[in-house]
Amino acid sequence: MSKIEKTIARQQAKIEEGQFYEAHQQLRVIASRYIKQSQPDPAISILYSGAQLLLKAGQGGSGGDLALFLLEVYNKSEIGVNAESKGRLITLMRGFPAGEPTRKRFINEAVGWSARFGESEMGDAEMHHVAGMLFAADDETYDAERHFLLGTRDSPVALSTLEYEWYTEDEPSTAPLYVSRAVLPYLLTGNYMGAKQSFFLFTRKLEEKNPGLPSKKVDNQDVDVNIYPSMPLLNFLGLLLLAVERGAQAPFLKLRKQYEAQIRDVGTWGDALDQIGERYFGVRIPKAYNPLGDMMNMFMGGGGGGGAPQQKRRVQAAAPAPGVD
Amino acid sequence: MSEEAFAKSFIDDLARLPVTGPKVLSAPSPSLQYMLPKHPTTPQKRKRTTSSPDSSSSSTITITLKPRKDGAELSLPAQPLTTSIYDLKAAYAAHTGYPVDKFKLLNGMKPETTGSKTVAEIFGLKEGEDAKDVEFKIMLMAGATAQPMPDRVVSPPVTLPVDAKTDVTPAVRSPDEAPVAQGLSGEGVMHTEKFWGDLKGWLIQRIRDEKEGERLAGLFRVAWEKASA
C-alpha cells in the first residue's frame, strides 16, 4: 500500500466512524502540504478520494468543499482534459446528494475548467450531458436545458423527453412553447441534427399520447411534413427546420411573415429568430430602436440620415414591430 | 390561408430550391445567448409529485472486468449504479498498471466509447429494482504494457474491494498477443473514434481540401448514425 493509499484508508476509517469534521480538516491540510511541495498528483488523489468518501457519507458541504479544492488544483496545475481528469469530475458531480447547494457551483466550475483546458470553448460536451441529466432528475429544468444544449449526441433525446414531461404539466395547447426550447437553441448553437431530432421525438410522443390530435401529412416529391391544424406554431417550427436545409432567404421571410402574429404573442422567440435569420439565411438583424442614441447622434452631427436605411432594413427583415420583446 | 394550404405552398417553394444542407455555423462562443428566455406563463419548477428516486436508497451491484484473453480479472462488489466507464477504466488501470488509453471495455462485442456512461444507462438498470450483476470484457490495445506500480499515484474512483479469487499480479503480456488490437472488425470498428479520424484523414488527403474533407466525414458519420440508429 502506498503512502497516499494509507492516508486515504485512515481518513476513510474516520469517516466511517462519523468523524466528518476531523477527516475533512485533515484531508485539506494533507492536500495543501503536497501542493506547497509542488506535488499536485498526490494532492489530487487525496482530494478526489476524500471528496468521494464524504459525499458518499451524505456530507455534501465538506465533500463539496474538497471537490472545489480539487478543481482549484486542476486550474493552478493546468491539468488538461482527458479521460482520467474528466472522469473524476463526472463521478464527483454524480456523487453529490440531491439538492446540495454546492453541487451547482461545482458543476459550473468543472465545466469552466474543461472550457479552459479542453477542446471546446463552451466546455466539455460529456460533462454538459451529465450535468443535464443530474439537473433533470432534480427538476431543475432551466439548468438542465442550459447543459443539454451543449451536450453530446445523447442530449437531444434526453432534452426532448424533459420538455415533453414538463409540457404535460401545462395546458395542452402549449406544446410548441416547450419543443421550441430545444429546437431554437439547438439551431442557435449550430446543432441542426439536435434541433431536428428533438422536434421529431417530441412530436412523435405528442401524437402517440394524443391519438385524437388532428394531424395531416402534406407532401410533394421532395419534402413531407406533418401539419397540426390546431397548433400553428408547431407547424412554424417544422417548416423552419425544412427551410434551414435550403438556406434561402425568401422562404424564411415568408414563414416569419405568415406566423408574425402568433410569434408576437409568444413574446420570447424574437431574438432567437433574428439570430437564426442572420446566421442561417443571411437576414440582417434590424438595429434596436434607440431614441436616446439617435438623439445623441443628431447632436453629435451624425445626421438624421441614419434613421431611413434602418427603417428599410426592418421592413426587409419582416421582423416583429419594435418593442415586442 | 389554412395551415395546410400554407404548408403545401411553402414546401412547393422549397422543392424548387437546391438542398444545400444546413449552413455550417462557426462554433458557438461563450458570449452566445443560446437559451430561450424563461416563458412568463411556464411554471418555474416542475410540479410532478413522483420525484426522482431517493439517492440514499441506492442499489449496488457487482461489476466484473474480464480480459478477453489472459490477464488480471477484476471483480468490484457493491458498486453504485452510477459507476461510469471512466471509473471502471481507472479501477482496472489502478489494479493492473495498464494506462487507461491502452485498453477498452466491451459490452458483449461493442466497445463502450462514451466514458461518462453509467452502468445503469448501459444495462438499463433502475434504482430499487433487483439489481443484476454485470460484466465487461477488457480488450487490450497493441503496445499495452503495465506501468510499474510504485511510480504511479493510484487514484481509484471507488475504494477497490477486490475479491479473493482475483489474480492480483499484473499481467505480463507476451509479444505475440499484440494483434488483439486489430481483432476488432466489422461493425464494431465504426464505433471507434479512430475509424472516423482515419476516414477524415483519408478524405482530406484525397480531396486535398481540409474543410470539405471534414464536412464530408461529418456527413458520412451522421448518415451512418442515422441508418444504424
Side-chain angles (χ1 to χ4, degrees):
Chain A
M1 219 187 223
S2 74
K3 198 174 149 200
I4 309 285
E5 284 171 298
K6 272 185 208 146
T7 308
I8 293 168
R10 211 161 33 236
Q11 300 305 326
Q12 181 173 10
K14 280 215 178 73
I15 290 166
E16 275 160 12
E17 285 164 22
Q19 301 183 47
F20 305 124
Y21 178 79
E22 213 186 320
H24 174 212
Q25 293 306 315
Q26 289 187 2
L27 285 160
R28 239 184 178 282
V29 169
I30 299 165
S32 307
R33 205 176 295 149
Y34 279 114
I35 305 238
K36 281 211 186 84
Q37 296 165 0
S38 305
Q39 294 189 53
D41 286 358
I44 287 171
S45 293
I46 283 174
L47 290 171
Y48 176 53
S49 302
Q52 253 193 325
L53 291 166
L54 284 166
L55 290 176
K56 219 189 228 166
Q59 301 297 305
S62 55
D65 175 67
L66 294 186
L68 288 167
F69 192 2
L70 174 72
L71 269 176
E72 209 181 300
V73 178
Y74 269 28
N75 281 312
K76 279 201 183 126
S77 311
E78 305 191 351
I79 302 289
V81 177
N82 59 41
E84 203 175 11
S85 58
K86 170 165 95 173
R88 287 190 202 107
L89 300 188
I90 287 176
T91 301
L92 288 178
M93 273 158 63
R94 289 188 173 124
F96 277 89
E100 166 61 42
T102 323
R103 182 174 74 177
K104 196 181 273 189
R105 187 173 153 208
F106 176 72
I107 289 175
N108 283 340
E109 292 190 15
V111 169
W113 161 79
S114 74
R116 242 179 105 190
F117 298 103
E119 283 169 13
S120 165
E121 249 194 314
M122 301 298 278
D124 184 79
E126 249 187 308
M127 290 175 71
H128 276 301
H129 180 73
V130 173
M133 296 295 283
L134 292 171
F135 284 124
D138 254 13
D139 288 351
E140 296 286 352
T141 321
Y142 290 109
D143 285 310
E145 280 180 352
R146 186 188 320 283
H147 290 290
F148 278 141
L149 291 168
L150 299 172
T152 63
R153 41 195 186 93
D154 293 325
S155 299
V157 182
L159 180 55
S160 64
T161 306
L162 173 68
E163 297 294 352
Y164 190 84
E165 284 171 5
W166 199 9
Y167 155 64
T168 57
E169 295 164 8
D170 205 338
E171 295 300 315
S173 63
T174 57
L177 292 185
Y178 287 87
V179 70
S180 77
R181 302 197 62 82
V183 172
L184 299 179
Y186 271 134
L187 287 177
L188 289 175
T189 58
N191 185 352
Y192 178 71
M193 286 307 288
K196 205 168 171 161
Q197 201 186 3
S198 38
F199 182 76
F200 172 74
L201 293 172
F202 189 101
T203 49
R204 192 176 61 182
K205 207 171 279 177
L206 186 70
E207 289 193 36
E208 273 169 18
K209 303 273 161 100
N210 303 280
L213 179 76
S215 107
K216 177 97 177 52
K217 188 171 163 177
V218 176
D219 60 358
N220 57 32
Q221 70 283 8
D222 286 338
V223 191
D224 64 276
V225 61
N226 274 357
I227 290 301
Y228 308 91
S230 59
M231 293 192 177
L233 286 172
L234 209 51
N235 303 330
F236 170 79
L237 293 170
L239 296 173
L240 175 66
L241 286 169
L242 291 174
V244 166
E245 272 182 346
R246 259 72 175 182
Q249 235 180 59
F252 174 73
L253 295 175
K254 186 174 168 188
L255 189 60
R256 263 196 95 158
K257 183 131 192 54
Q258 171 74 12
Y259 290 94
E260 201 175 359
Q262 288 104 323
I263 291 170
R264 196 182 308 138
D265 287 344
V266 175
T268 49
W269 287 7
D271 283 348
L273 291 176
D274 285 349
Q275 292 281 343
I276 288 165
E278 179 168 85
R279 298 175 69 204
Y280 288 95
F281 302 97
V283 179
R284 286 175 69 181
I285 297 178
K287 261 214 198 113
Y289 177 59
N290 179 354
L292 193 66
D294 285 357
M295 217 155 32
M296 290 298 279
N297 270 344
M298 242 155 65
F299 288 135
M300 305 300 274
Q310 203 175 311
Q311 197 63 35
K312 222 184 213 164
R313 268 208 300 280
R314 203 171 282 145
V315 173
Q316 191 190 5
V324 163
D325 298 328
Chain B
M1 203 180 333
S2 77
E3 284 296 304
E4 205 181 314
F6 175 78
K8 177 71 177 135
S9 86
F10 188 78
I11 64 168
D12 286 348
D13 285 351
L14 286 185
R16 280 189 280 274
L17 293 164
V19 182
T20 54
K23 204 171 156 223
V24 181
L25 304 184
S26 51
S29 79
S31 63
L32 177 73
Q33 295 288 321
Y34 62 88
M35 278 186 62
L36 279 193
K38 294 183 185 182
H39 194 268
T41 62
T42 301
Q44 288 295 307
K45 178 96 175 143
R46 298 279 310 276
K47 58 186 172 195
R48 61 172 170 170
T49 43
T50 51
S51 74
S52 50
D54 187 3
S55 54
S56 61
S57 68
S58 40
S59 326
T60 60
I61 52 168
T62 297
I63 304 169
T64 310
L65 306 178
K66 258 199 187 131
R68 288 218 305 190
K69 286 195 165 181
D70 47 15
E73 181 182 318
L74 180 61
S75 179
L76 302 159
Q79 300 298 316
L81 298 184
T82 54
T83 305
S84 69
I85 295 293
Y86 285 134
D87 294 339
L88 294 172
K89 289 186 88 171
Y92 195 72
H95 182 63
T96 60
Y98 290 122
V100 285
D101 55 351
K102 288 294 182 197
F103 60 89
K104 284 190 188 315
L105 296 192
L106 308 185
N107 167 21
M109 290 298 284
K110 192 174 153 260
E112 287 299 340
T113 50
T114 310
S116 60
K117 279 231 167 102
T118 63
V119 286
E121 286 165 356
I122 293 166
F123 295 100
L125 308 174
K126 291 214 166 65
E127 286 288 350
E129 283 176 14
D130 270 348
K132 54 170 188 170
D133 295 339
V134 301
E135 180 185 295
F136 288 97
K137 293 262 192 293
I138 299 281
M139 184 179 77
L140 290 172
M141 315 292 285
T145 41
Q147 305 292 307
M149 298 293 275
D151 291 348
R152 287 175 45 87
V153 174
V154 179
S155 167
V158 281
T159 36
L160 287 178
V162 173
D163 269 7
K165 64 173 185 207
T166 309
D167 166 20
V168 188
T169 38
V172 179
R173 297 176 46 70
S174 55
D176 59 339
E177 283 178 272
V180 172
Q182 277 126 41
L184 191 60
S185 60
E187 232 251 336
V189 178
M190 318 274 284
H191 289 282
T192 62
E193 280 304 319
K194 185 164 182 317
F195 170 80
W196 297 102
D198 289 350
L199 178 65
K200 187 169 81 186
W202 184 82
L203 283 170
I204 291 172
Q205 203 187 3
R206 181 69 186 78
I207 310 168
R208 275 181 258 152
D209 179 336
E210 192 170 348
K211 258 206 170 139
E212 182 62 7
E214 256 177 42
R215 194 185 74 83
L216 279 178
L219 209 64
F220 289 166
R221 186 169 187 168
V222 167
W224 172 76
E225 281 165 3
K226 227 166 135 186
S228 59

